[in-house]
Amino acid sequence: MSKKIDVKVEIIADTIVVGPPKLTRFEKARIIGARGLQIALGAPILIRIKKDITDPIIIAEEELMKNVLPLTVARLLPDGKYQNIPLSWLIKGV
Amino acid sequence: MAFKLPKIIDALQFGLLSPDEIRKMSVVRVITADTYDEDGTAIPSGLMDGRLGTIDPGQRCKTCGNRVGECEGHFGHIELARPIVHVGFNKKIYKILRAICRECSRILLTEEEVYENKQKILKYEKRWEQANTDLINEILKKAAKIVTCPHCQALQSKIKLEKPTTFFEEIKASKKSKVTERKKLSPSDVRDRMERISDDDCLLLGINAKHARPEWMVLTVLPVPPVAMRPSITLESSIRSEDDLTHKLVDIIRINQRLRENIEAGAPQLIVEDLWELLQYHVTTYFNNEVSGIPPARHRSGRALRTLTQRLKGKEGRFRSNLCGKRVDFSSRTVISPDPNLSINEVGVPLEISMQLTIPEKVTEWNIEELKELIMRGPASHPGANYIIRQEGLRIDLRFVKEKRNVADSLEPGFIVERHLKNGDIVLFNRQPSLHRMSIMAHKVKVMPYRTFRLNLCVCPPYNADFDGDEMNLHVPQSEEAQAEARTLMLAQEQISSPRYGGPLIGANWDYISASYLLTKKESFFSRKEAMQFIVSSGFNKDLPEPEIKEPEELWSGKQIFSLFIPEDTHYTNTAKICQKCTECLEEKCENDAYVTVRNGILKTGVIDKKAIGSQQEGSLLGRILIDQGNDVAREFLDAITKLFIRVLSYKGFTVGFWNVDIPKEAKTRIDEILDDAEKETRETIDAYRQGILERLPGRTFDETLEMKIMEILSKSRTTASDVAGEYLGMENEAVIMAKTGARGSMLNLGQMAACLGQQSVRGARIKRGFRDRTLPHFKPGALDAPSRGFVRNSFRRGLTPIEFFMHACGGREGLVDTAVRTSTSGYMQRRLIHALLDIKAEYDGTVRDANGEIIQFIYGDDGIDPAKSEHGKSVNIDAVIDRVLKTTVEE
């Protein structure tokens, strides 16, 4: 049995070195979920949006597409190394 | 209710309960076999003693002082008058008894062997963190063969286990004598022997003496489970009905007391032994009431009792039914029915269901007005709400609120409103058996009248659903995070492409295919009015192109109408399903219009049928659009064309009837001739066989040769008969349209209806079972000719003779049995396969690993390609690229 690695080491780089150059669909789902929760709890919306759209998930998706979310994606490798990637880097790749 | 985690678990250790431990955890020694006295109070030291916990609401537990919910119950114990063998360990006890000396209880191995094996076991355990069961079994087997003890030189005897719990010893007078004396080993004897085993020897027997001494497998004290585990129920007639376990414990205590009294009174040995055995029976059935060799203990009504093992084991047991599977809230189930007007992303939810299922919405200053309106509407009218949860966690049931105005006004940010399901909410939709990930997809709600779930016909293949009474389940994700995941990962349009092969699993079916053929075939033209109607019905507003025919009146071809819906920049070349597979393909000039070419979103030639828009088709037009233009475009395309096709089909009219399989007289004569010839030929072959002049095929017996020849002759005759019928059934025949375009049925089915049903088979051979030497008494014994062995000469249209009908039923029955058997075995096979693969995952570094982090593959699938996004398993479809480049540049 292999032991789980607890030590985490951050990789600092100017480009995306961990994982694919664009946002994976799982990351997309995770971000929309997190942002959707914020909006549902009453966070102010960062973009202009039509009055009739009220679903927080739809608003969050819209915000992601407009690249206004100041979020960071932490990509963790199985050996414990990880890279913090600004969301804007990943959106550019899409 | 707040969830309390009392301790963090970092290890689990399994072991046996020692008698001391049982006494220590016990709060009461149970000695009375009764439960309640006349006035309904629990008898102290009885099975329902108040100290064992409480099950009555309002009552406090006598041990811990808590009420029903908080008190989890406390164990009691029974002191057994004599030791009793635990059935669950009978095999282990047997193995140990055989491996140890009957005099000194040492393991029957020399000191050197003991030392050597001990080292091996310890080394293995250190390396692998588990016991070396193989080595231990070997040791046990080896020790069982030793005749004299290496330690005390005592002569060993053979031990026999008479199932389930009785041990016998076959004692020999001397080493050589053949006469054996059979002596029963009482549980006391067994326990005595095992008590003497040293802790060091236990290691070699596969036991960790720290957690489980071998003698603990023979019980002297029996734990009594708390009442919470065996609650009694009160019927309406206020008669108490006890749990099966309580019944069994009553039996045990009663016999135990009798046994103790008899021993104390000095009763004869025989009586004591009888009672002892009876106690052993009761304790055995208490643990497991399905032990082979003894009759199961029964209830007064004759029903077998459901005791400890039965509670855990099997499909309805605690593990599979309560721990691996749980019933959930926010779910519903009803019959499904089709609705072609829905998008594939939608599901029709009955109004009644939508008013029961709720989504919690937090009140913020943005949505407060909207939610107030919902509260005003209440739980009884549709877009309403059922509950309000205030900040401090208080739940208000809106059903019992008199003044809704007051509640609505008290609403402030931080409250949670459980509102009804409404259009656009995301839900999970599922049909069992959930064999692959497309068995659960997310859909958007569309609230509808009536009481069935409605779904688009294109999503039938992934669910494997039809509408002959199928039911489906619907689940409502509650948190925003769950809703976001469902929407981005599980939405039906994200699942169009199957990860099994890179092509669409969701696509047009059945009538859609027939309609697409009728619309796009060469000779179909429509007036302005008709064309407009078709387009409007698709839900889109598109301008008509220049009509293909301008004089004498403006007419648009079906191909033009269809082209309106193909996304721009789509290029596609393929043969259609109706392709005749000519030796030399004329390509664009195909006479049957079976060469489909789409240039820049315009259908130039060919008809659209199953190969272009069908589900589970590789290299289809739909697949092309899906890969080139994405899920959204593919979904819009599919939704639009299916609505268009429905309109086209109901405008043109399409039906199948008796006339579709009716063939002219001359065809019938030709078919009769073919069949007569075939029957004659079989008779000749049989004659040749009887005379022994039939030429044997290599590697076959005469019988096999005859069977093969006959089968060949008959199947050939059926095919030719079908082909003859096919000649008279043209493309104007609806049944033929369905068969040729791939909508439903095949030409073989049509041949069976119009020409000849053909040979019926059981187990892959002609029907030969039934009466002695013949299948039915209508034939001569030994008959081998076609009709007597299940050849059906008639067609379904003409009708079967009684004999033919019987033969057909034989073959039909086999089919039914086969499907029943196949589904169960393949289902279990799949379950085991998925269980082995369920935790593997592709990591960010591209490796595929299991839950322990062990690498399974260095890169997924050895090429890193997601099959669902691939071109039929490959990363690039070079043919499509070449086709696109060549054909488009030439035209410009």
Side-chain angles (χ1 to χ4, degrees):
Chain A
M1 265 218 319
S2 62
K3 293 273 176 298
K4 280 263 151 126
I5 300 141
D6 302 324
V7 211
K8 290 183 180 169
V9 186
E10 185 172 356
I11 303 171
I12 312 245
D14 296 335
T15 50
I16 298 165
V17 291
V18 177
K22 54 180 191 178
L23 204 64
T24 69
R25 59 196 167 113
F26 305 104
E27 289 162 346
K28 188 180 163 197
R30 180 74 183 79
I31 289 164
I32 294 175
R35 180 61 187 158
L37 187 62
Q38 290 181 346
I39 295 168
L41 290 169
I45 299 164
L46 302 175
I47 51 167
R48 286 185 158 275
I49 207 143
K50 270 191 240 148
K51 195 89 185 176
D52 57 328
I53 298 173
T54 48
D55 189 339
I57 309 296
I58 308 265
I59 300 170
E61 203 172 341
E62 206 71 13
E63 284 186 332
L64 178 67
M65 288 307 150
K66 293 254 170 72
N67 194 8
V68 291
L69 296 178
L71 295 174
T72 307
V73 176
R75 285 184 170 172
L76 179 65
L77 288 170
D79 62 0
K81 289 183 189 144
Y82 71 99
Q83 187 188 12
N84 286 330
I85 302 164
L87 189 55
S88 51
W89 293 11
L90 292 162
I91 303 266
K92 260 181 254 162
V94 178
Chain B
M1 198 167 43
F3 181 74
K4 284 180 292 181
L5 187 68
K7 274 166 197 165
I8 292 165
I9 300 165
D10 52 29
L12 271 177
Q13 174 65 54
F14 289 96
L16 295 179
L17 273 178
S18 75
D20 284 344
E21 232 169 320
I22 295 172
R23 285 189 196 104
K24 232 185 277 170
M25 70 181 194
S26 159
V27 292
V28 57
R29 182 181 165 189
V30 184
I31 42 171
T32 321
D34 277 335
T35 50
Y36 298 97
D37 55 18
E38 294 88 3
D39 52 328
T41 48
I43 297 171
S45 314
L47 276 169
M48 287 290 163
D49 192 298
R51 283 168 288 181
L52 294 171
T54 179
I55 46 167
D56 292 318
Q59 213 176 38
R60 276 184 190 277
C61 169
K62 277 184 188 160
T63 305
C64 61
N66 286 318
R67 287 176 197 284
V68 174
E70 290 88 49
C71 169
E72 72 274 80
H74 312 278
F75 274 90
H77 77 281
I78 298 170
E79 294 282 346
L80 296 171
R82 283 283 166 90
I84 295 292
V85 174
H86 189 310
V87 261
F89 297 108
N90 58 358
K91 283 245 177 66
K92 188 77 196 169
I93 295 172
Y94 174 61
K95 277 184 185 165
I96 290 170
L97 284 181
R98 288 186 350 148
I100 59 170
C101 172
R102 60 191 300 264
E103 298 282 335
C104 66
S105 284
R106 286 294 314 270
I107 186 159
L108 293 169
L109 294 176
T110 60
E111 292 290 356
E112 295 83 62
E113 285 172 321
V114 169
Y115 179 78
E116 202 180 296
N117 282 318
K118 206 170 146 182
Q119 296 306 314
K120 271 192 201 165
I121 290 172
L122 288 174
K123 203 175 153 195
Y124 187 94
E125 262 172 38
K126 211 175 157 195
R127 171 67 183 85
W128 299 103
E129 295 179 351
Q130 65 183 50
N132 187 351
T133 36
D134 289 348
L135 179 62
I136 286 160
N137 280 332
E138 224 165 86
I139 293 169
L140 289 170
K141 231 188 235 166
K142 200 174 160 197
K145 284 181 192 142
I146 308 291
V147 187
T148 44
C149 172
H151 307 283
C152 67
Q153 267 68 45
L155 191 62
Q156 299 302 312
S157 52
K158 215 169 185 183
I159 308 254
K160 279 269 154 76
L161 166 64
E162 198 151 281
K163 278 184 179 166
T165 48
T166 336
F167 293 96
F168 286 98
E169 204 172 22
E170 287 176 347
I171 303 168
K172 283 182 191 171
S174 74
K175 210 170 177 178
K176 294 225 169 75
S177 75
K178 289 214 168 136
V179 197
T180 55
E181 189 201 344
R182 206 168 139 97
K183 195 183 144 240
K184 194 189 160 187
L185 275 178
S186 75
S188 297
D189 300 333
V190 174
R191 196 170 205 281
D192 284 346
R193 283 193 191 181
M194 299 214 286
E195 266 172 11
R196 291 196 303 262
I197 303 172
S198 68
D199 283 3
D200 277 3
D201 280 357
C202 281
L203 187 72
L204 295 175
L205 300 170
I207 292 174
N208 185 342
K210 237 195 273 170
H211 305 290
R213 280 290 311 172
E215 67 266 23
W216 296 344
M217 293 188 281
V218 182
L219 305 161
T220 53
V221 183
L222 188 72
V224 175
V227 282
M229 201 175 129
R230 43 188 177 86
S232 53
I233 39 169
T234 320
L235 303 170
E236 305 110 72
S237 49
S238 78
I239 301 170
R240 268 182 193 277
S241 175
E242 298 299 335
D243 191 88
D244 283 3
L245 278 189
T246 312
H247 280 299
K248 207 61 236 176
L249 285 164
V250 167
D251 291 341
I252 292 171
I253 294 165
R254 198 186 303 123
I255 303 304
N256 192 41
Q257 290 302 106
R258 280 244 307 273
L259 179 60
R260 186 186 307 278
E261 281 157 20
N262 273 294
I263 294 166
E264 277 162 12
Q269 189 70 21
L270 209 66
I271 293 175
V272 171
E273 248 166 47
D274 271 359
L275 280 170
W276 194 355
E277 233 162 75
L278 187 57
L279 182 62
Q280 174 73 60
Y281 167 79
H282 282 310
V283 175
T284 302
T285 50
Y286 169 68
F287 284 117
N288 184 357
N289 204 12
E290 279 167 4
V291 193
S292 58
I294 55 166
R298 287 182 190 282
H299 199 251
R300 250 170 308 176
S301 62
R303 170 182 64 87
L305 293 172
R306 194 172 154 80
T307 51
L308 290 174
T309 308
Q310 280 67 51
R311 282 196 177 191
L312 308 178
K313 223 165 96 181
K315 202 167 169 186
E316 252 114 77
R318 203 93 318 146
F319 291 106
R320 271 175 77 182
S321 182
N322 301 99
L323 293 163
C324 293
K326 287 186 151 63
R327 294 185 179 264
V328 292
D329 287 341
F330 307 108
S331 61
S332 61
R333 177 185 175 93
T334 182
V335 178
I336 51 167
S337 48
D339 189 338
N341 295 316
L342 291 175
S343 158
I344 56 165
N345 275 346
E346 289 178 318
V347 58
V349 180
L351 184 71
E352 281 175 271
I353 287 178
S354 75
M355 281 161 56
Q356 284 297 318
L357 298 174
T358 59
I359 285 183
E361 196 162 315
K362 281 121 199 156
V363 182
T364 64
E365 48 185 302
W366 321 110
N367 63 8
I368 189 159
E369 290 308 319
E370 214 174 304
L371 292 174
K372 272 180 186 169
E373 270 174 45
L374 294 182
I375 292 164
M376 287 306 293
R377 242 172 267 137
S381 53
H382 175 51
N386 285 0
Y387 286 94
I388 299 168
I389 304 161
R390 300 166 68 99
Q391 270 135 327
E392 65 271 18
L394 191 74
R395 221 169 222 284
I396 302 167
D397 190 339
L398 288 175
R399 278 175 303 176
F400 306 118
V401 170
K402 294 243 165 55
E403 276 305 313
K404 294 205 182 77
R405 184 84 270 168
N406 294 345
V407 186
D409 287 342
S410 74
L411 205 66
E412 51 186 271
F415 283 26
I416 295 168
V417 176
E418 295 205 326
R419 54 149 247 257
H420 289 162
L421 220 52
K422 65 177 186 203
N423 286 354
D425 283 333
I426 201 89
V427 291
L428 306 186
F429 204 40
N430 158 244
R431 179 180 176 273
Q432 283 109 350
S434 312
L435 295 175
H436 54 190
R437 69 181 201 199
M438 289 80 75
S439 289
I440 306 178
M441 293 191 288
H443 292 258
K444 288 172 187 165
V445 167
K446 187 147 191 209
V447 180
M448 295 182 134
Y450 312 119
R451 311 180 88 154
T452 57
F453 285 138
R454 253 57 60 81
L455 55 116
N456 184 295
L457 287 138
C458 294
V459 290
C460 285
Y463 291 120
N464 191 18
D466 49 37
F467 306 106
D468 59 3
D470 288 24
E471 290 183 53
M472 283 181 71
N473 311 315
L474 183 132
H475 299 265
V476 186
Q478 298 283 297
S479 74
E480 277 73 20
E481 280 151 311
Q483 286 171 27
E485 281 194 21
R487 204 177 271 273
T488 43
L489 300 172
M490 299 173 75
L491 197 65
Q493 74 173 51
E494 306 296 322
Q495 309 290 336
I496 295 176
S497 183
S498 166
R500 190 150 56 89
Y501 51 85
L505 178 59
I506 295 172
N509 272 318
W510 312 302
D511 280 359
Y512 292 138
I513 310 280
S514 310
S516 70
Y517 172 79
L518 293 180
L519 178 71
T520 56
K521 68 176 180 183
K522 257 183 199 164
E523 56 272 30
S524 66
F525 286 95
F526 302 95
S527 69
R528 176 179 288 269
K529 194 179 163 195
E530 289 164 339
M532 289 291 207
Q533 283 213 335
F534 293 159
I535 293 162
V536 165
S537 69
S538 72
F540 285 83
N541 190 6
K542 292 192 172 167
D543 289 333
L544 278 174
E546 283 286 295
E548 201 162 297
I549 296 170
K550 292 187 180 121
E551 293 292 329
E553 59 169 327
E554 289 184 322
L555 286 176
W556 282 264
S557 72
K559 288 193 176 69
Q560 281 186 301
I561 297 171
F562 184 77
S563 299
L564 288 174
F565 297 94
I566 308 176
E568 269 176 49
D569 206 29
T570 304
H571 302 274
Y572 172 78
T573 311
N574 200 355
T575 51
K577 176 96 187 182
I578 57 163
C579 173
Q580 306 271 309
K581 311 227 163 57
C582 326
T583 34
E584 202 189 341
C585 190
L586 296 170
E587 305 207 327
E588 276 91 344
K589 296 181 183 72
C590 179
E591 285 174 356
N592 303 307
D593 207 13
Y595 193 78
V596 186
T597 49
V598 176
R599 299 283 164 251
N600 204 15
I602 306 291
L603 179 63
K604 296 277 185 194
T605 62
V607 290
I608 298 298
D609 60 15
K610 193 172 184 192
K611 257 190 156 173
I613 52 162
S615 63
Q616 298 166 60
Q617 294 298 312
E618 292 145 8
S620 64
L621 175 62
L622 182 62
R624 191 77 263 131
I625 294 170
L626 183 68
I627 291 166
D628 291 347
Q629 326 254 347
N631 290 332
D632 277 321
V633 179
R635 193 252 305 148
E636 273 171 28
F637 171 70
L638 199 56
D639 282 344
I641 59 167
T642 47
K643 280 179 197 163
L644 170 76
F645 290 155
I646 288 291
R647 188 77 187 85
V648 170
L649 202 63
S650 47
Y651 178 78
K652 286 206 149 193
F654 192 82
T655 184
V656 180
F658 189 66
W659 61 89
N660 285 123
V661 291
D662 208 7
I663 46 174
K665 203 160 188 185
E666 100 196 58
K668 282 179 197 162
T669 10
R670 277 177 67 191
I671 289 164
D672 277 340
E673 270 165 34
I674 291 162
L675 295 175
D676 284 341
D677 286 348
E679 289 199 350
K680 205 175 132 213
E681 207 182 326
T682 44
R683 278 196 298 275
E684 281 165 11
T685 319
I686 292 163
D687 284 345
Y689 164 79
R690 291 253 159 81
Q691 289 162 21
I693 54 169
L694 187 73
E695 200 165 314
R696 207 153 61 116
L697 291 172
R700 302 277 170 182
T701 62
F702 278 114
D703 291 1
E704 284 168 354
T705 312
L706 176 72
E707 279 302 308
M708 284 179 74
K709 285 232 159 123
I710 294 173
M711 287 283 267
E712 200 191 313
I713 295 161
L714 293 177
S715 77
K716 207 173 74 204
S717 73
R718 212 226 64 219
T719 330
T720 22
S722 286
D723 290 346
V724 170
E727 283 171 30
Y728 293 89
L729 303 171
M731 266 324 249
E732 70 293 330
N733 183 319
E734 284 87 354
V736 177
I737 291 178
M738 293 207 296
K740 289 261 165 82
T741 56
R744 204 74 218 248
S746 63
M747 286 314 284
L748 188 145
N749 295 148
L750 278 177
Q752 288 189 322
M753 283 187 267
C756 162
L757 188 55
Q759 179 66 50
Q760 300 301 306
S761 73
V762 171
R763 298 193 180 170
R766 297 202 297 159
I767 294 167
K768 52 175 175 280
R769 294 182 300 170
F771 291 80
R772 192 200 293 162
D773 297 333
R774 51 183 169 173
T775 47
L776 287 171
H778 308 77
F779 304 107
K780 288 192 174 130
L784 289 169
D785 56 329
S788 77
R789 288 297 169 98
F791 183 74
V792 180
R793 194 198 152 113
N794 283 316
S795 63
F796 278 128
R797 188 210 159 276
R798 190 187 267 181
L800 274 54
T801 67
I803 291 167
E804 288 174 338
F805 187 88
F806 177 79
M807 300 293 182
H808 185 227
C810 290
R813 192 182 111 99
E814 192 192 41
L816 293 181
V817 171
D818 268 13
T819 28
V821 173
R822 239 197 337 266
T823 43
S824 63
T825 47
S826 66
Y828 184 45
M829 234 187 272
Q830 207 247 2
R831 196 180 133 89
R832 285 178 311 197
L833 183 70
I834 297 300
H835 184 75
L837 301 175
L838 90 179
D839 59 3
I840 64 174
K841 172 194 174 190
E843 298 280 354
Y844 269 118
D845 59 3
T847 56
V848 178
R849 299 176 190 232
D850 66 10
N852 295 321
E854 309 266 13
I855 294 179
I856 310 275
Q857 284 179 330
F858 287 106
I859 182 162
Y860 176 80
D862 276 357
D863 53 11
I865 289 167
D866 177 356
K869 289 176 194 156
S870 69
E871 300 244 13
H872 191 214
K874 307 230 169 51
S875 54
V876 183
N877 181 350
I878 198 74
D879 291 338
V881 177
I882 292 171
D883 177 68
R884 179 193 192 117
V885 172
L886 287 183
K887 299 276 164 95
T888 47
T889 41
V890 165
E891 277 168 21
E892 276 159 12

